Amino acid sequence: MRYFAAARAAAGLESETVHVQPDTTIGDLVTTLGARGPRLAVVLARCSFLCDGVAVRDLRTALGTRATVDVLPPFAGG
């Protein structure tokens, strides 16, 4: 897991290794991480995710072995 911007602040760390079962989905991972605290849960609900550099459009997407998940909160820009 790699957290960026507000997700990093809410998680309290920049990155971590999370061990999950082989059939775990991105949605399962978000639920597990969100259970750590309400602030992180709120941020995760608004984030988008990359799995090994590819945008995840469906939270039912299963994680692969040794996958890297990037947590990207909404960014403002102009």
Side-chain angles (χ1 to χ4, degrees):
M1 299 291 303
R2 296 188 302 187
Y3 301 98
F4 294 89
R8 180 184 306 153
L13 44 104
E14 184 174 315
S15 65
E16 67 178 311
T17 300
V18 179
H19 298 278
V20 297
Q21 297 299 316
D23 59 345
T24 299
T25 65
I26 296 287
D28 296 333
L29 183 59
V30 169
T31 298
T32 298
L33 295 173
R36 293 180 177 174
R39 183 174 175 213
L40 183 56
V42 167
V43 171
L44 290 173
R46 294 186 174 115
C47 287
S48 58
F49 304 92
L50 300 178
C51 186
D52 292 331
V54 177
V56 174
R57 304 279 183 228
D58 184 351
L59 294 182
R60 296 174 293 180
T61 300
L63 294 168
T65 303
R66 302 183 63 82
T68 298
V69 176
D70 294 322
V71 182
L72 307 170
F75 294 97

